[in-house]
Each structure stands twice: as C-alpha cells, then as structure tokens.
Amino acid sequence: MWQQENQKLVVNKISEILDATDGSYAEKMTGMFDGAKRIFISGAGRSKLVGNFLGMRLMHSGYDVSMVGEIVTPSIREGDLLIIISGSGETEQLIAFTNKAKSVGAKIILICSKSSSTIGDMSDGVFQIGSDESYAAVKGMPMGTCFELSTLCFLEAVVSHLIWEKGIPEEDMRYRHANME
C-alpha cells in the first residue's frame, strides 16, 4: 500500500511541474540544437546524470555531442552550444564553464528550476522546468529530486518531439547506439 501511495506522490508531483512548464520549449530547444555546430552538456551531481541521458539521445538522433569533463571532450568554440542543467543556476563549477563558453562565442542554454540566476543571466536561452512555486518542500522527494526527475521527463519529451519532427527512424538511432557494451 505505501508503495502505491509513494508512486502516486512522485508521478503527481512530476506531472504538476511539467504542467507548469512552458509548452513552447521543445520547439525553441530543437532550434538551438539545430543551429549548433556541436553540443556540449554539463551539470553537477544528479543533474549531470540527467545530462548524460540527454547526451545519449541527442547522439542517437545524429547530433555531435560531448559531455563536459570527459577525457575525450574537445574544446568548445564559437558556433557550439553548451547546455547546463542546474536547478539553482548557481553552481560554481558550472558558472566557470558558462564563462568559458561565453568567452569563446558559444551559445548557452540553462535548464533550471529558478526564474533568475547567475548562469541564467549569461545564457542565450533559459528553460525553467516548472515555476518558482513548483519546488516547495515535498516530503519523500528531498534535495532536488523534483527538479531532476521532472527535467529527465521533460528532456525525454523534447527528444521525442525532435525525433517526430525530423522523422528520425528508430533504426537510425539503433545504428548509432553503442555496440561495445
């Protein structure tokens, strides 16, 4: 019984946050992805894990994607896009990455939970998941869980949008999928 109640709590909260998220974001993000030479993705902690999910799906979809901090990640350049996933938009390391990207002429997207932040002020696109009111304390969903899970679901929906809009066959995605697992 408790499991069903907790599942409902999580699903209902994610649905509430997604319902409060701007419906035009998928189209805007896809445009920014398409306008980039290469895409770089970063986050910290669990937000970085959400970024890994996004990076994999964008690579499957045919984009040139790198995860910031990996040993084989190239240098970011003008014409590239940096996607930062940060609930607060205030993580020091991510501010440093944003400053570097800005200094070389790369575009920046922030995916966040707050309407204003240091990284948001430097970004070319701020995509707030939910609203400022969406993240009041929820018993059983501590320390950013609402943001991370909602962002994961939101980004999967964005990928679904771009696959649909571009008509990318699943066979093409499967062809790009890792084959040394």
Side-chain angles (χ1 to χ4, degrees):
M1 187 61 93
W2 66 268
Q3 184 178 6
Q4 290 174 343
E5 289 178 28
N6 288 42
Q7 288 172 350
K8 285 179 186 175
L9 169 81
V10 171
V11 170
N12 289 341
K13 187 60 180 176
I14 292 169
S15 293
E16 173 192 317
I17 292 170
L18 293 177
D19 287 345
T21 302
D22 186 326
S24 69
Y25 284 175
E27 200 72 39
K28 291 175 184 173
M29 284 182 122
T30 300
M32 292 185 84
F33 298 162
D34 289 345
K37 290 179 185 171
R38 300 176 299 168
I39 298 172
F40 293 76
I41 302 173
S42 190
R46 289 169 39 133
S47 292
K48 181 177 178 63
L49 297 175
V50 171
N52 289 343
F53 276 85
L54 175 62
M56 176 186 277
R57 287 296 185 230
L58 290 177
M59 179 274 295
H60 289 159
S61 300
Y63 293 91
D64 184 349
V65 181
S66 295
M67 303 307 297
V68 175
E70 298 295 324
I71 197 162
V72 295
T73 301
S75 58
I76 194 165
R77 303 274 185 233
E78 185 175 356
D80 292 337
L81 174 66
L82 173 63
I83 300 170
I84 297 286
I85 302 173
S86 173
S88 68
E90 299 294 343
T91 307
E92 290 298 321
Q93 181 183 40
L94 301 178
I95 291 171
F97 294 161
T98 303
N99 277 321
K100 182 60 179 180
K102 195 88 173 155
S103 76
V104 300
K107 299 279 186 200
I108 299 144
I109 286 177
L110 172 64
I111 301 168
C112 60
S113 66
K114 299 189 178 204
S115 58
S116 64
S117 66
T118 301
I119 297 172
D121 290 346
M122 294 186 280
S123 296
D124 299 285
V126 177
F127 299 89
Q128 183 180 7
I129 308 304
S131 67
D132 289 335
E133 295 77 35
S134 297
Y135 297 98
V138 177
K139 185 177 180 182
M141 296 180 74
M143 301 168 52
T145 297
C146 292
F147 171 71
E148 295 144 0
L149 292 177
S150 299
T151 300
L152 176 61
C153 292
F154 167 77
L155 291 171
E156 282 296 315
V158 169
V159 169
S160 176
H161 167 80
L162 72 87
I163 291 168
W164 179 262
E165 289 297 312
K166 295 174 175 294
I168 301 170
E170 188 171 341
E171 298 77 34
D172 289 358
M173 295 179 79
R174 189 170 281 114
Y175 177 76
R176 293 182 192 106
H177 186 73
N179 61 5
M180 292 190 293
E181 295 182 299

